[in-house]
C-alpha cells in the first residue's frame, strides 16, 4: 500500500491549480442516467472515486469515453468524460460496487425516474458517522415511488413514472437534494423542495440539468421548484472548481507560511472558510487568476469554528482547520454539527504532538509551539489530508499510511505541494 512521506518545515511558494470538484462531478455523472443522449462533462478530476463511479455506471450499461489530450492542455487540465446511457441494461447497483462509495447510492433517483425501477445496495463510504439514507428514501416516496428494503438493498418502483410532490427535508441533506432534483426533473408535474441544500455542488447539478432540458428554479436557495419534463437531452457542462481542495491548500499555506496562488478557483465558493483563515492571521486576496494566500511571519491566531451546511463552514474542512489550529497561539474551539463521528483525526494529530481534548461535538485545540513528525494513519478522506497539513509543519519525518483515502479526493496532491517547495513524496508499495 502506498504511503506519503513528508519532511516538515518548508514554507510553500508558487501556484497550485485547483481541480474540478469531486462532489459536483459525482452527481453530474449520475445525471447521465437521466437521458438517452450523451452528456459531456469537462474539468472532471482524476480521482479514485470518479473511476469507481465509472465502474458502477458501466454496470448499468452506460458507455463512456475519456477524451485524449488536446493542444494547450497540461497534466492539470481536468478530464473530459462523455457518458451515454442510451441502453440501461441493469437497474441493480450491487453491494460490491456501492459499498466503496456512498454517493453511488444516488443512482437510485435517475433509474427509478427514467426506467421505473431501481435496486440499489445500502451505501458505504467514509467512516464518519452512521450516515443513513432515510431522507433520500422519503424524497422518492414523496414523488410516488414505492420502496422496499430487502436483504441490504433498497428497491424503488414507479412503473407508471414519478409524479411531482412536496418534499420538505427536516434536515439539510446534500445527497437528499441531489436525489430529489434528479427524480423531480423527470416526474409528472411540479415538485417543491423545501429546506434544500444550498451547496454550490447542488446549484452545479441544477445548472447541468437545466442545460439538459429540465425546468428548475431556485437552485442555490433553500426552496427549489422543479417542473417535470417527459424527456431530457444531452448537454456539455464544466464541473465547478473544488472548494474543499481550495480550502485545504489555503490552510496548508496558512500552516507552513509562504505565498501561493490557488488557480482556477473562486472565493465565493468558500467565503466562510476564507473568513476563518483571515481571522487566523492569513492574507487572502482574490483576483481574476484565483485566490492568493499568504502568511509571512504573523503567528497563527486561534479561532472558534462551527461546521454548518453551506454557506456555513464546511464539515469537509473541519479536520484541516483543526490541523492548522494545533499550532495556533492559544486555544481554539471546533464544533462539528453535521457528522457525529468526524473526529478520527484527533488521535492521529495527537501522535504528532497536538493537544486536543474532545467534549461531545466539540474539540478544544490548545496550540503547541512545535509538532514532531511520526508515522500516522489516514482514516477518511478529509482526515488524511489534515495529517498532511500537520506533517508539512512538523519537525522531521511524517509518514502517512493508507493513502488510498487521499487518492479518493485529492488529485496529484504530492505533485501540487511538491512544486511549491514541500518535501513530500509517495512511497509505492
Ligand atoms: C455530502 O455527503 C458530501 N459527499 C460529503 O463529503 C459532505 O461531508 C456532506 O455532503 C455534507 O456537506 C458528496 O457530495 C459525495 P448529507 P452526503 O446528506 O450527501 C444526515 C467528502 O469528504 N442524513 O448532506 O452524504 C447525515 O447523517 C464527503 O467529500 C440523514 O440523517 O451528506 C448528516 O448528519 C464526506 N438522513 C447530514 O444529514 C439521510 O437520509 C448531512 O448529510 C441523509 C443524511
Amino acid at each position: 500500500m502506498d504511503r506519503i512521506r513528508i519532511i516538515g518545515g518548508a514554507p510553500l511558494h508558487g501556484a497550485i491549480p485547483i481541480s474540478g470538484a469531486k462532489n459536483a462531478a459525482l452527481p453530474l455523472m449520475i445525471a447521465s442516467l437521466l437521458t438517452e443522449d450523451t452528456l459531456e462533462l469537462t474539468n472532471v478530476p482524476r480521482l479514485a472515486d470518479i473511476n469507481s463511479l465509472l465502474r458502477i455506471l458501466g454496470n448499468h450499461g452506460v458507455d463512456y469515453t475519456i477524451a485524449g489530450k488536446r493542444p494547450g492542455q497540461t497534466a492539470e487540465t481536468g478530464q473530459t468524460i462523455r457518458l451515454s446511457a442510451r441502453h440501461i441494461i441493469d437497474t441493480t447497483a450491487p453491494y460490491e460496487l456501492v459499498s466503496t462509495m456512498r454517493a453511488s447510492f444516488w443512482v437510485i433517483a435517475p433509474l427509478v425516474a427514467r426506467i421505473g425501477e431501481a435496486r440499489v445496495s445500502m451505501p458505504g463510504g467514509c467512516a464518519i458517522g452512521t450516515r443513513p439514507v432515510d431522507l433520500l428514501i422519503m424524497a422518492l416516496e414523496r414523488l410516488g415511488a414505492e420502496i422496499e428494503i430487502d436483504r441490504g438493498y433498497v428497491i424503488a418502483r414507479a412503473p407508471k413514472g414519478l409524479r411531482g410532490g412536496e418534499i420538505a427535508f427536516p434536515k439539510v441533506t446534500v445527497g437528499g437534494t441531489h436525489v430529489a432534483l434528479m427524480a423531480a426533473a423527470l416526474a409528472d408535474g411540479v415538485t417543491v423542495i423545501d429546506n434544500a441544500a444550498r451547496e454550490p455542488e447542488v446549484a452545479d447539478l441544477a445548472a447541468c440539468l437545466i442545460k439538459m432540458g429540465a425546468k428548475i428554479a431556485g437552485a442555490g436557495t433553500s426552496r427549489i421548484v422543479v417542473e417535470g419534463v417527459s424527456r431530457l437531452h444531452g448537454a456539455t457542462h464544466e464541473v465547478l472548481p473544488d472548494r474543499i481542495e481550495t480550502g485545504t491548500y489555503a490552510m496548508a499555506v496558512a500552516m507552513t507560511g509562504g505565498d501561493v496562488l490557488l488557480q482556477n478557483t473562486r472565493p465565493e465558493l468558500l467565503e466562510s472558510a476564507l473568513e476563518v483563515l483571515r481571522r487566523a492571521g492569513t492574507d487572502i486576496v482574490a483576483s481574476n487568476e484565483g485566490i492568493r494566500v499568504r502568511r509571512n511571519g504573523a503567528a497563527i491566531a486561534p479561532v472558534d469554528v462551527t461546521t454548518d451546511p453551506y454557506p456555513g463552514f464546511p464539515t469537509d474542512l473541519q479536520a484541516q482547520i483543526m490541523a492548522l489550529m494545533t499550532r495556533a497561539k492559544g486555544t481554539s474551539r471546533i464544533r462539528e454539527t453535521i457528522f457525529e463521528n468526524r473526529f478520527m483525526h484527533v488521535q492521529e494529530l495527537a501522535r504528532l504532538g497536538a493537544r486536543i481534548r474532545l467534549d461531545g461535538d466539540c474539540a478544544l485545540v490548545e496550540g503547541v509551539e512545535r509538532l514532531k513528525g511520526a508515522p500516522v494513519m489516514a482514516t477518511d478522506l478529509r482526515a488524511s489530508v489534515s495529517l498532511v497539513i500537520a506533517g508539512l509543519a512538523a519537525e522531521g519525518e511524517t509518514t502517512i499510511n493508507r493513502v488510498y483515502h487521499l487518492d479518493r479526493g485529492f488529485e496529484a496532491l504530492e505533485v501540487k505541494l511538491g512544486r511549491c517547495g514541500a518535501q513530500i513524496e509517495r512511497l509505492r508499495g
Side-chain angles (χ1 to χ4, degrees), residues 22-23 102 131-135 173-175 316 338-339 382:
K22 166 182 84 80
N23 288 351
R102 180 180 163 85
R131 305 190 78 187
V133 287
D134 55 323
L135 300 178
T173 156
V174 173
D316 289 347
I338 309 290
F339 293 110
R382 311 303 175 184

Side-chain angles (χ1 to χ4, degrees), residues 133-366:
V133 287
D134 55 323
L135 300 178
L136 285 66
I137 291 175
M138 177 277 279
L140 294 174
E141 282 178 332
R142 286 308 189 130
L143 302 186
E146 280 170 22
I147 305 286
E148 186 191 333
I149 315 276
D150 181 36
R151 284 166 289 175
Y153 280 78
V154 180
I155 303 164
R157 290 191 190 91
K160 294 187 187 135
L162 297 173
R163 50 178 156 69
E166 308 255 317
I167 302 170
F169 286 113
K171 174 175 195 176
V172 175
T173 156
V174 173
T177 309
H178 285 319
V179 158
L181 266 178
M182 286 190 272
L186 282 184
D188 182 17
V190 174
T191 298
V192 178
I193 308 170
D194 268 317
N195 201 21
R198 289 180 281 166
E199 267 67 4
E201 294 76 19
V202 168
D204 206 37
L205 173 65
C208 179
L209 293 174
I210 290 169
K211 286 181 197 163
M212 294 165 73
K215 294 188 178 156
I216 300 171
T221 75
S222 51
R223 186 181 174 87
I224 306 179
V225 180
V226 186
E227 193 185 328
V229 296
S230 57
R231 176 175 187 278
L232 293 173
H233 51 73
T236 295
H237 185 79
E238 180 180 337
V239 178
L240 94 169
D242 196 316
R243 64 194 165 99
I244 304 303
E245 192 195 22
T246 307
T248 299
Y249 289 126
M251 287 176 199
V253 180
M255 183 66 149
T256 61
D259 185 345
V260 171
L261 177 67
L262 305 174
Q263 298 165 314
N264 316 329
T265 186
R266 303 199 304 263
E268 68 272 17
L269 297 173
L270 70 160
E271 274 306 339
S272 59
L274 295 180
E275 188 44 40
V276 166
L277 281 177
R278 284 193 187 100
R279 276 195 272 134
T282 316
D283 273 345
I284 312 260
V285 181
S287 72
N288 288 345
E289 288 174 291
I291 305 172
R292 186 167 171 197
V293 184
R294 273 179 301 181
R295 188 174 69 80
N296 291 320
I300 301 170
V303 289
D304 286 351
V305 173
T306 298
T307 62
D308 262 320
Y310 190 84
F313 188 92
T315 174
D316 289 347
L317 285 173
Q318 180 257 105
Q320 297 88 316
I321 192 73
M322 194 181 300
L324 176 62
M325 287 304 122
T326 61
R327 292 203 58 231
K329 268 213 164 349
T331 301
S332 308
R333 189 167 173 275
I334 298 175
R335 189 164 166 243
E336 171 61 55
T337 71
I338 309 290
F339 293 110
E340 75 275 15
N341 193 22
R342 207 172 198 182
F343 280 135
M344 259 115 59
H345 39 286
V346 167
Q347 63 190 32
E348 296 304 304
L349 288 170
R351 293 174 61 77
L352 301 173
R355 285 204 201 127
I356 305 170
R357 194 161 58 80
L358 285 181
D359 180 10
D361 63 359
C362 271
L364 290 169
V365 188
E366 188 190 328

